[in-house]
Amino acid sequence: MDIVQHEFEETLKRIQSQKDVFGVIVVKNNGDIITSTLDNRSSVSHAERIMKLADNAKSCVRNLDPSNELIVLRMGTKKREVLVKPGKDFIMIVLRKQNFKSLMRSIIANS
Amino acid sequence: MDIVQHEFEETLKRIQSQKDVFGVIVVKNNGDIITSTLDNRSSVSHAERIMKLADNAKSCVRNLDPSNELIVLRMGTKKREVLVKPGKDFIMIVLRKQNFKSLMRSIIANS
């Protein structure tokens, strides 16, 4: 295992070990799933739909300002939080329990 | 001004007064801009593109789980953070300076 691979595995372990995290999916930009803690069917449907959304978000950011770039996309939903980190070669999707404190900060009406 | 309108104005004022916030746009779901602190051209392009993205995000969440619902969408970008709060009648878009601490928490590799 080379250094890059080792660091990747360590990062994955660290993310998965967080108490709020219940799912991690890493998908190559060509759609191949590299690793996932979800069952196969959920992994495929999450990968497919979320990659499409991340592409839309990247275009949205770039169209508003060609010198800008998407770094991370977060969706606070009624049931959980979805974090999406698009990268050069792959995209990482992290599912975690809804953090209502963080959610309220996001809504910022009360921050 | 009725109570709802008053609360709306107060919420807007509170958000706009935050030191990191440099833009707020509120758009009716039919695309009409209710209020914006950006110039007309930027308001229209932001409203148009971000509403479309928020619709995609809503569909993505619902398609993955029909009983789930998008509450808030956040985009961390190289230059700034974009918060999107879709509502029943209107959508609120808040532009604020990139908060790198919050961004790193989002990426969660080091949290």
Side-chain angles (χ1 to χ4, degrees):
Chain A
M1 187 158 45
D2 65 19
I3 294 173
V4 175
Q5 175 73 11
H6 178 72
E7 279 182 11
F8 176 76
E9 302 279 347
E10 287 301 308
T11 303
L12 259 187
K13 263 190 226 161
R14 195 164 61 234
I15 291 172
Q16 284 171 10
S17 70
Q18 289 183 59
K19 68 175 181 358
D20 287 346
V21 170
F22 64 88
V24 179
I25 313 165
V26 184
V27 196
K28 269 195 201 163
N29 285 346
N30 68 4
D32 291 348
I33 293 172
I34 300 173
T35 184
S36 175
T37 59
L38 303 188
D39 63 76
N40 190 48
R41 197 176 157 178
S42 298
S43 304
V44 171
S45 64
H46 277 76
E48 201 177 286
R49 295 181 197 281
I50 292 174
M51 280 186 83
K52 205 170 151 193
L53 181 67
D55 277 342
N56 289 340
K58 279 197 273 189
S59 303
C60 175
V61 169
R62 217 172 23 229
N63 286 335
L64 287 170
D65 175 358
S67 66
N68 200 7
E69 196 185 311
L70 181 72
I71 297 176
V72 67
L73 180 72
R74 289 174 73 167
M75 286 189 285
T77 74
K78 216 171 62 180
K79 292 186 168 183
R80 59 193 189 175
E81 192 174 9
V82 183
L83 294 106
V84 187
K85 175 80 189 84
K88 199 173 144 268
D89 302 315
F90 58 82
I91 183 168
M92 183 179 283
I93 300 163
V94 178
L95 307 176
R96 66 178 176 188
K97 281 187 210 154
Q98 190 54 270
N99 176 337
F100 281 100
K101 202 175 150 194
S102 152
L103 184 67
M104 287 316 290
R105 257 205 311 272
S106 302
I107 297 172
I108 73 171
N110 296 308
S111 66
Chain B
M1 188 159 41
D2 64 19
I3 293 174
V4 175
Q5 175 73 12
H6 178 73
E7 279 182 11
F8 176 76
E9 303 279 347
E10 289 301 308
T11 303
L12 258 187
K13 264 190 223 160
R14 194 164 61 234
I15 291 172
Q16 283 171 11
S17 70
Q18 290 182 60
K19 68 175 181 356
D20 287 348
V21 170
F22 64 88
V24 180
I25 313 165
V26 184
V27 196
K28 269 195 203 164
N29 286 345
N30 68 5
D32 292 347
I33 293 173
I34 299 172
T35 184
S36 176
T37 59
L38 303 188
D39 64 75
N40 190 48
R41 197 174 154 178
S42 298
S43 304
V44 171
S45 64
H46 277 74
E48 200 177 286
R49 295 181 197 280
I50 292 174
M51 280 185 83
K52 205 170 150 193
L53 181 67
D55 277 342
N56 289 340
K58 279 197 273 189
S59 302
C60 175
V61 169
R62 217 173 22 228
N63 287 335
L64 287 170
D65 175 357
S67 66
N68 200 6
E69 195 184 312
L70 181 72
I71 298 176
V72 68
L73 179 73
R74 289 173 74 167
M75 286 189 286
T77 76
K78 217 170 63 179
K79 291 186 168 183
R80 59 192 189 174
E81 192 174 9
V82 183
L83 294 106
V84 187
K85 175 80 188 87
K88 199 173 143 266
D89 302 316
F90 58 81
I91 183 167
M92 183 179 283
I93 301 163
V94 178
L95 307 175
R96 64 177 178 189
K97 282 187 210 152
Q98 190 53 270
N99 176 338
F100 282 100
K101 201 174 150 195
S102 151
L103 184 66
M104 287 316 291
R105 257 205 310 272
S106 302
I107 296 171
I108 74 171
N110 296 308
S111 66

Coordinates of all heavy atoms in Angstrom, one line a residue, chain B residues 27-102:
Chain B
V27 N -36.5 35.3 -2.8 CA -37.1 35.1 -4.1 C -38.4 34.3 -3.9 O -38.4 33.2 -3.2 CB -36.3 34.3 -5.1 CG1 -36.8 34.5 -6.5 CG2 -34.8 34.7 -5.0
K28 N -39.5 34.8 -4.4 CA -40.8 34.0 -4.4 C -40.6 32.8 -5.3 O -39.8 32.8 -6.2 CB -41.9 34.8 -5.1 CG -42.7 35.6 -4.1 CD -44.0 36.1 -4.7 CE -44.5 37.3 -4.1 NZ -45.5 38.0 -4.9
N29 N -41.3 31.7 -5.0 CA -41.2 30.5 -5.7 C -41.5 30.6 -7.2 O -41.1 29.8 -8.0 CB -41.9 29.3 -5.1 CG -41.3 28.9 -3.8 OD1 -40.1 29.2 -3.5 ND2 -42.0 28.1 -2.9
N30 N -42.2 31.7 -7.6 CA -42.5 31.9 -9.0 C -41.3 32.7 -9.7 O -41.4 33.0 -10.9 CB -43.8 32.7 -9.2 CG -43.7 34.1 -8.6 OD1 -42.7 34.6 -8.2 ND2 -44.8 34.8 -8.7
G31 N -40.3 33.0 -8.9 CA -39.1 33.7 -9.5 C -39.0 35.2 -9.2 O -38.0 35.8 -9.5
D32 N -40.1 35.8 -8.7 CA -40.1 37.2 -8.4 C -39.1 37.5 -7.2 O -39.2 36.8 -6.2 CB -41.5 37.7 -8.1 CG -42.4 37.7 -9.3 OD1 -41.9 37.5 -10.4 OD2 -43.6 37.8 -9.0
I33 N -38.3 38.5 -7.4 CA -37.4 38.8 -6.3 C -38.2 39.7 -5.3 O -38.7 40.8 -5.7 CB -36.1 39.5 -6.8 CG1 -35.3 38.4 -7.6 CG2 -35.3 40.0 -5.7 CD1 -34.1 39.0 -8.4
I34 N -38.2 39.3 -4.0 CA -38.9 40.1 -3.0 C -38.0 41.2 -2.5 O -38.4 42.3 -2.4 CB -39.4 39.2 -1.9 CG1 -40.4 38.1 -2.4 CG2 -40.1 40.0 -0.7 CD1 -40.8 37.0 -1.3
T35 N -36.8 40.8 -2.2 CA -35.8 41.8 -1.7 C -34.4 41.2 -2.0 O -34.2 40.0 -2.0 CB -36.0 42.1 -0.2 OG1 -35.1 43.1 0.2 CG2 -35.7 40.9 0.7
S36 N -33.5 42.2 -2.2 CA -32.1 41.7 -2.4 C -31.2 42.9 -2.1 O -31.5 44.1 -2.3 CB -31.9 41.4 -3.9 OG -30.5 41.1 -4.1
T37 N -30.0 42.5 -1.5 CA -29.0 43.6 -1.3 C -28.0 43.6 -2.4 O -27.0 44.4 -2.3 CB -28.3 43.3 0.1 OG1 -27.7 42.0 0.0 CG2 -29.2 43.3 1.2
L38 N -28.1 42.8 -3.4 CA -27.2 42.8 -4.5 C -27.8 43.7 -5.6 O -29.0 44.0 -5.6 CB -27.0 41.4 -5.1 CG -26.5 40.3 -4.2 CD1 -26.2 39.0 -5.0 CD2 -25.3 40.7 -3.5
D39 N -26.9 44.0 -6.6 CA -27.5 44.8 -7.8 C -28.4 43.9 -8.5 O -28.4 42.7 -8.4 CB -26.3 45.3 -8.6 CG -25.6 44.2 -9.3 OD1 -26.1 43.5 -10.2 OD2 -24.4 43.9 -8.8
N40 N -29.2 44.6 -9.4 CA -30.3 43.9 -10.1 C -29.8 42.7 -10.9 O -30.4 41.6 -10.8 CB -31.0 44.9 -11.0 CG -32.3 44.2 -11.5 OD1 -33.1 43.6 -10.7 ND2 -32.5 44.3 -12.8
R41 N -28.7 42.8 -11.7 CA -28.2 41.8 -12.5 C -27.8 40.6 -11.7 O -28.1 39.4 -12.0 CB -27.1 42.4 -13.3 CG -26.7 41.5 -14.5 CD -25.7 42.2 -15.4 NE -25.0 41.2 -16.1 CZ -24.0 41.5 -17.0 NH1 -23.7 42.8 -17.2 NH2 -23.4 40.6 -17.7
S42 N -27.0 40.8 -10.7 CA -26.5 39.7 -9.8 C -27.7 39.0 -9.1 O -27.7 37.8 -9.0 CB -25.5 40.2 -8.7 OG -24.4 40.8 -9.3
S43 N -28.6 39.8 -8.7 CA -29.8 39.2 -8.0 C -30.5 38.3 -8.9 O -30.8 37.1 -8.5 CB -30.8 40.3 -7.6 OG -30.2 41.3 -6.8
V44 N -30.7 38.7 -10.1 CA -31.5 37.8 -11.1 C -30.7 36.6 -11.4 O -31.2 35.5 -11.4 CB -31.8 38.6 -12.4 CG1 -32.4 37.7 -13.5 CG2 -32.8 39.7 -12.1
S45 N -29.4 36.7 -11.7 CA -28.6 35.5 -12.0 C -28.5 34.6 -10.8 O -28.6 33.3 -11.0 CB -27.2 35.9 -12.6 OG -26.4 36.5 -11.7
H46 N -28.3 35.1 -9.6 CA -28.2 34.3 -8.4 C -29.5 33.5 -8.2 O -29.6 32.3 -8.0 CB -27.8 35.1 -7.2 CG -26.4 35.3 -7.0 ND1 -25.7 36.2 -7.8 CD2 -25.4 34.7 -6.2 CE1 -24.4 36.2 -7.5 NE2 -24.2 35.3 -6.5
A47 N -30.6 34.3 -8.3 CA -31.9 33.8 -8.0 C -32.2 32.6 -9.0 O -32.6 31.5 -8.6 CB -33.0 34.9 -8.1
E48 N -32.0 32.9 -10.2 CA -32.3 31.9 -11.3 C -31.5 30.6 -11.1 O -32.1 29.5 -11.0 CB -31.9 32.5 -12.6 CG -32.6 31.9 -13.8 CD -32.2 32.7 -15.1 OE1 -32.7 33.8 -15.2 OE2 -31.4 32.2 -15.8
R49 N -30.2 30.7 -11.0 CA -29.4 29.5 -10.9 C -29.5 28.8 -9.6 O -29.5 27.6 -9.5 CB -27.9 29.9 -11.1 CG -27.6 30.5 -12.5 CD -26.2 30.8 -12.7 NE -26.0 31.7 -13.8 CZ -26.0 31.3 -15.1 NH1 -26.2 30.1 -15.4 NH2 -25.7 32.2 -16.1
I50 N -29.6 29.5 -8.5 CA -29.7 28.9 -7.2 C -31.0 28.2 -6.9 O -31.1 27.2 -6.3 CB -29.2 29.9 -6.1 CG1 -27.7 30.2 -6.2 CG2 -29.5 29.3 -4.7 CD1 -27.1 31.2 -5.3
M51 N -32.1 28.9 -7.4 CA -33.4 28.2 -7.3 C -33.4 26.9 -8.0 O -34.0 25.9 -7.6 CB -34.5 29.2 -7.9 CG -34.9 30.2 -6.9 SD -36.3 31.2 -7.6 CE -37.7 30.1 -7.1
K52 N -32.8 26.9 -9.2 CA -32.8 25.7 -10.0 C -32.0 24.6 -9.2 O -32.4 23.4 -9.2 CB -32.1 26.0 -11.3 CG -32.5 25.0 -12.5 CD -31.9 25.6 -13.8 CE -31.6 24.4 -14.7 NZ -30.8 24.9 -15.9
L53 N -30.9 25.0 -8.7 CA -30.1 24.0 -7.9 C -30.8 23.5 -6.7 O -30.8 22.3 -6.3 CB -28.8 24.7 -7.5 CG -27.8 23.8 -6.7 CD1 -27.3 22.6 -7.6 CD2 -26.7 24.5 -6.1
A54 N -31.5 24.4 -6.0 CA -32.3 24.0 -4.8 C -33.4 23.0 -5.2 O -33.7 22.1 -4.5 CB -32.9 25.3 -4.1
D55 N -34.0 23.3 -6.3 CA -35.0 22.3 -6.8 C -34.4 20.9 -7.1 O -35.0 19.9 -6.7 CB -35.7 22.8 -8.1 CG -36.8 23.8 -7.9 OD1 -37.3 23.8 -6.7 OD2 -37.1 24.6 -8.8
N56 N -33.2 20.9 -7.7 CA -32.5 19.7 -7.9 C -32.2 19.0 -6.6 O -32.3 17.8 -6.4 CB -31.2 19.9 -8.6 CG -31.4 20.3 -10.1 OD1 -32.5 20.0 -10.6 ND2 -30.4 20.9 -10.7
A57 N -31.8 19.8 -5.6 CA -31.4 19.2 -4.3 C -32.7 18.6 -3.6 O -32.6 17.5 -3.0 CB -30.8 20.3 -3.4
K58 N -33.8 19.4 -3.7 CA -35.0 18.9 -3.1 C -35.4 17.5 -3.7 O -35.8 16.6 -3.0 CB -36.2 19.9 -3.3 CG -36.1 21.0 -2.3 CD -37.5 21.8 -2.3 CE -37.5 22.9 -3.3 NZ -38.7 23.8 -3.2
S59 N -35.3 17.5 -5.1 CA -35.7 16.2 -5.8 C -34.7 15.1 -5.4 O -35.2 14.0 -5.2 CB -35.6 16.4 -7.3 OG -36.4 17.4 -7.7
C60 N -33.5 15.4 -5.3 CA -32.4 14.4 -4.9 C -32.8 13.8 -3.6 O -32.8 12.6 -3.4 CB -31.1 15.1 -4.9 SG -29.7 14.0 -4.3
V61 N -33.1 14.6 -2.6 CA -33.4 14.2 -1.2 C -34.7 13.3 -1.2 O -34.7 12.2 -0.7 CB -33.5 15.4 -0.3 CG1 -34.1 14.9 1.1 CG2 -32.2 16.1 -0.1
R62 N -35.7 13.8 -1.9 CA -36.9 13.1 -2.0 C -36.8 11.8 -2.7 O -37.4 10.8 -2.4 CB -38.0 14.0 -2.7 CG -39.4 13.9 -2.1 CD -40.3 14.9 -2.6 NE -39.9 15.4 -3.9 CZ -39.8 16.7 -4.3 NH1 -40.2 17.6 -3.4 NH2 -39.5 17.1 -5.5
N63 N -36.0 11.8 -3.8 CA -35.9 10.5 -4.6 C -35.1 9.5 -3.8 O -35.4 8.3 -3.9 CB -35.1 10.8 -5.9 CG -36.0 11.5 -6.9 OD1 -37.3 11.4 -6.8 ND2 -35.4 12.3 -7.8
L64 N -34.2 9.9 -2.9 CA -33.5 8.9 -2.1 C -34.4 8.4 -1.0 O -34.2 7.2 -0.5 CB -32.2 9.5 -1.6 CG -31.1 9.7 -2.6 CD1 -30.0 10.6 -2.0 CD2 -30.5 8.4 -3.1
D65 N -35.3 9.2 -0.5 CA -36.2 8.8 0.6 C -37.4 9.7 0.5 O -37.4 10.8 0.9 CB -35.5 8.9 1.9 CG -36.4 8.6 3.1 OD1 -37.6 8.4 2.9 OD2 -35.9 8.6 4.2
P66 N -38.5 9.1 0.0 CA -39.7 10.0 -0.2 C -40.3 10.6 1.1 O -41.0 11.6 1.0 CB -40.8 9.0 -0.8 CG -39.9 7.9 -1.4 CD -38.7 7.8 -0.5
S67 N -39.9 10.1 2.2 CA -40.4 10.6 3.5 C -39.4 11.7 4.0 O -39.6 12.2 5.1 CB -40.6 9.5 4.5 OG -39.4 9.0 4.9
N68 N -38.3 12.0 3.3 CA -37.4 13.0 3.8 C -37.6 14.3 3.0 O -38.3 14.3 2.1 CB -35.9 12.4 3.5 CG -34.9 13.2 4.4 OD1 -35.3 14.0 5.3 ND2 -33.6 12.9 4.2
E69 N -36.9 15.3 3.5 CA -37.2 16.7 3.0 C -36.0 17.6 3.2 O -35.4 17.5 4.3 CB -38.4 17.2 3.8 CG -39.0 18.4 3.2 CD -40.1 19.0 4.1 OE1 -40.9 18.1 4.6 OE2 -40.1 20.2 4.4
L70 N -35.6 18.3 2.2 CA -34.5 19.3 2.3 C -34.9 20.4 3.2 O -35.9 21.1 3.0 CB -34.1 19.8 0.9 CG -32.9 20.8 0.9 CD1 -31.6 20.1 1.2 CD2 -32.8 21.5 -0.4
I71 N -34.0 20.8 4.2 CA -34.3 21.9 5.0 C -33.3 23.1 4.6 O -33.8 24.2 4.5 CB -34.1 21.5 6.5 CG1 -35.1 20.5 6.9 CG2 -34.2 22.8 7.4 CD1 -35.0 20.0 8.3
V72 N -32.1 22.7 4.4 CA -31.1 23.8 4.1 C -30.0 23.2 3.2 O -29.7 22.1 3.3 CB -30.6 24.5 5.4 CG1 -29.7 23.6 6.2 CG2 -29.8 25.8 5.0
L73 N -29.5 24.1 2.3 CA -28.4 23.7 1.4 C -27.3 24.7 1.6 O -27.5 25.9 1.7 CB -29.0 23.8 0.0 CG -28.0 23.4 -1.2 CD1 -27.8 21.9 -1.2 CD2 -28.6 23.9 -2.5
R74 N -26.1 24.1 1.8 CA -24.9 25.0 2.0 C -23.9 24.7 1.0 O -23.6 23.5 0.8 CB -24.3 24.9 3.4 CG -25.2 25.4 4.5 CD -24.6 25.0 5.8 NE -23.4 25.8 6.2 CZ -22.9 25.8 7.4 NH1 -23.4 25.1 8.4 NH2 -21.8 26.6 7.6
M75 N -23.3 25.7 0.4 CA -22.2 25.4 -0.5 C -21.0 26.2 0.0 O -21.0 27.4 0.1 CB -22.5 25.9 -1.9 CG -23.5 25.0 -2.6 SD -23.6 25.4 -4.4 CE -24.6 26.9 -4.3
G76 N -19.9 25.5 0.3 CA -18.7 26.1 0.7 C -17.9 26.2 -0.6 O -17.7 25.2 -1.3
T77 N -17.5 27.4 -1.0 CA -16.8 27.6 -2.2 C -15.4 28.3 -1.9 O -15.2 28.7 -0.7 CB -17.5 28.5 -3.3 OG1 -17.5 29.8 -2.9 CG2 -19.0 28.0 -3.4
K78 N -14.6 28.3 -2.9 CA -13.2 28.9 -2.6 C -13.4 30.4 -2.1 O -12.6 30.8 -1.3 CB -12.5 29.0 -4.0 CG -11.0 28.7 -3.9 CD -10.4 28.5 -5.3 CE -10.6 29.7 -6.2 NZ -10.0 29.5 -7.5
K79 N -14.4 31.1 -2.6 CA -14.5 32.5 -2.3 C -15.5 32.9 -1.2 O -15.4 33.9 -0.6 CB -14.8 33.3 -3.5 CG -13.7 33.3 -4.6 CD -14.1 34.2 -5.7 CE -13.0 34.5 -6.6 NZ -13.4 35.4 -7.7
R80 N -16.5 32.1 -1.0 CA -17.5 32.5 -0.1 C -18.4 31.3 0.2 O -18.3 30.2 -0.3 CB -18.4 33.6 -0.7 CG -19.0 33.1 -2.0 CD -19.6 34.2 -2.8 NE -20.4 33.7 -3.9 CZ -21.1 34.4 -4.7 NH1 -21.2 35.7 -4.6 NH2 -21.7 33.8 -5.7
E81 N -19.4 31.5 1.1 CA -20.3 30.4 1.5 C -21.7 30.9 1.0 O -22.1 32.0 1.2 CB -20.3 30.2 3.0 CG -21.0 29.0 3.4 CD -20.8 28.7 4.9 OE1 -20.3 29.6 5.6 OE2 -21.2 27.6 5.4
V82 N -22.4 29.9 0.5 CA -23.8 30.2 0.0 C -24.7 29.4 0.8 O -24.6 28.1 0.8 CB -23.9 29.9 -1.5 CG1 -25.3 30.3 -2.0 CG2 -22.9 30.6 -2.3
L83 N -25.7 30.0 1.5 CA -26.7 29.2 2.3 C -28.0 29.4 1.6 O -28.4 30.5 1.2 CB -26.8 29.8 3.7 CG -25.6 29.5 4.5 CD1 -24.8 30.8 4.7 CD2 -26.0 29.0 5.9
V84 N -28.7 28.3 1.4 CA -30.0 28.4 0.7 C -31.1 27.7 1.6 O -30.9 26.6 2.0 CB -29.9 27.6 -0.7 CG1 -31.2 27.8 -1.4 CG2 -28.7 28.1 -1.5
K85 N -32.1 28.5 1.9 CA -33.2 28.0 2.7 C -34.5 28.0 1.9 O -35.1 29.0 1.8 CB -33.3 28.9 4.0 CG -34.4 28.6 4.9 CD -34.1 27.4 5.8 CE -35.3 27.0 6.6 NZ -36.2 26.0 5.9
P86 N -34.8 26.8 1.3 CA -36.1 26.8 0.6 C -37.3 26.8 1.5 O -37.3 26.2 2.6 CB -36.0 25.5 -0.2 CG -34.9 24.7 0.4 CD -34.2 25.5 1.4
G87 N -38.3 27.6 1.2 CA -39.5 27.6 2.0 C -40.7 27.3 1.2 O -40.6 27.0 0.0
K88 N -41.9 27.3 1.8 CA -43.1 27.0 1.1 C -43.4 28.0 0.0 O -43.8 27.7 -1.1 CB -44.3 27.0 2.1 CG -45.5 26.3 1.7 CD -46.5 26.2 2.9 CE -47.9 26.3 2.3 NZ -48.5 27.7 2.4
D89 N -43.3 29.3 0.3 CA -43.6 30.4 -0.6 C -42.4 31.1 -1.2 O -42.5 31.7 -2.3 CB -44.5 31.4 0.1 CG -45.7 30.8 0.7 OD1 -46.3 30.0 0.0 OD2 -46.0 31.1 1.9
F90 N -41.3 31.0 -0.5 CA -40.1 31.7 -1.1 C -38.8 31.0 -0.6 O -38.8 30.1 0.2 CB -40.1 33.2 -0.6 CG -40.1 33.4 0.9 CD1 -38.9 33.3 1.6 CD2 -41.3 33.7 1.5 CE1 -38.9 33.5 3.0 CE2 -41.3 33.9 2.9 CZ -40.1 33.8 3.6
I91 N -37.8 31.4 -1.3 CA -36.5 30.8 -1.0 C -35.5 32.0 -0.5 O -35.6 33.1 -1.1 CB -35.9 30.1 -2.2 CG1 -34.6 29.4 -2.0 CG2 -35.8 31.0 -3.4 CD1 -34.3 28.4 -3.1
M92 N -34.7 31.7 0.5 CA -33.8 32.7 1.0 C -32.4 32.3 0.7 O -32.0 31.2 0.9 CB -34.0 32.9 2.5 CG -33.1 34.0 3.0 SD -33.3 34.3 4.8 CE -34.9 35.2 4.8
I93 N -31.6 33.2 0.1 CA -30.3 32.9 -0.3 C -29.4 33.9 0.5 O -29.6 35.1 0.5 CB -30.0 33.2 -1.8 CG1 -30.9 32.3 -2.6 CG2 -28.6 33.0 -2.2 CD1 -31.1 32.7 -4.1
V94 N -28.4 33.4 1.2 CA -27.5 34.2 2.0 C -26.1 34.0 1.6 O -25.7 32.8 1.5 CB -27.7 33.9 3.6 CG1 -26.7 34.7 4.4 CG2 -29.1 34.1 4.0
L95 N -25.4 35.1 1.2 CA -24.0 35.0 0.8 C -23.2 35.5 2.0 O -23.4 36.6 2.5 CB -23.8 35.8 -0.4 CG -24.7 35.6 -1.6 CD1 -24.4 36.6 -2.7 CD2 -24.6 34.2 -2.1
R96 N -22.2 34.7 2.4 CA -21.4 35.2 3.5 C -19.9 34.8 3.2 O -19.6 33.9 2.4 CB -21.8 34.8 4.9 CG -21.8 33.3 5.2 CD -22.3 33.1 6.6 NE -22.3 31.7 6.9 CZ -22.8 31.2 8.1 NH1 -23.4 32.0 9.0 NH2 -22.9 29.9 8.3
K97 N -19.0 35.5 3.9 CA -17.6 35.2 3.8 C -17.3 33.8 4.1 O -18.0 33.2 5.0 CB -16.8 36.1 4.7 CG -16.6 37.5 4.1 CD -15.7 38.3 5.1 CE -16.0 39.8 5.0 NZ -15.7 40.4 6.3
Q98 N -16.4 33.2 3.5 CA -16.0 31.8 3.8 C -15.5 31.7 5.2 O -14.7 32.5 5.7 CB -14.9 31.4 2.8 CG -14.6 29.9 2.9 CD -15.8 29.1 2.7 OE1 -16.5 28.7 3.6 NE2 -16.1 28.7 1.5
N99 N -16.2 30.8 6.0 CA -15.7 30.6 7.3 C -14.9 29.3 7.3 O -15.5 28.2 7.2 CB -17.0 30.4 8.2 CG -16.6 30.1 9.6 OD1 -15.6 29.5 9.9 ND2 -17.6 30.3 10.5
F100 N -13.6 29.4 7.4 CA -12.8 28.2 7.1 C -12.9 27.2 8.2 O -12.7 26.0 8.0 CB -11.3 28.6 6.9 CG -11.2 29.1 5.5 CD1 -11.1 30.5 5.2 CD2 -11.1 28.2 4.4 CE1 -11.0 30.9 3.8 CE2 -11.0 28.7 3.1 CZ -11.0 30.0 2.8
K101 N -13.2 27.7 9.4 CA -13.3 26.8 10.6 C -14.6 25.9 10.3 O -14.5 24.6 10.4 CB -13.5 27.5 11.9 CG -13.2 26.7 13.1 CD -13.3 27.6 14.3 CE -13.7 26.8 15.5 NZ -14.1 27.7 16.6
S102 N -15.6 26.5 9.9 CA -16.9 25.8 9.6 C -16.7 24.9 8.4 O -17.2 23.8 8.3 CB -18.0 26.8 9.4 OG -19.0 26.4 8.5

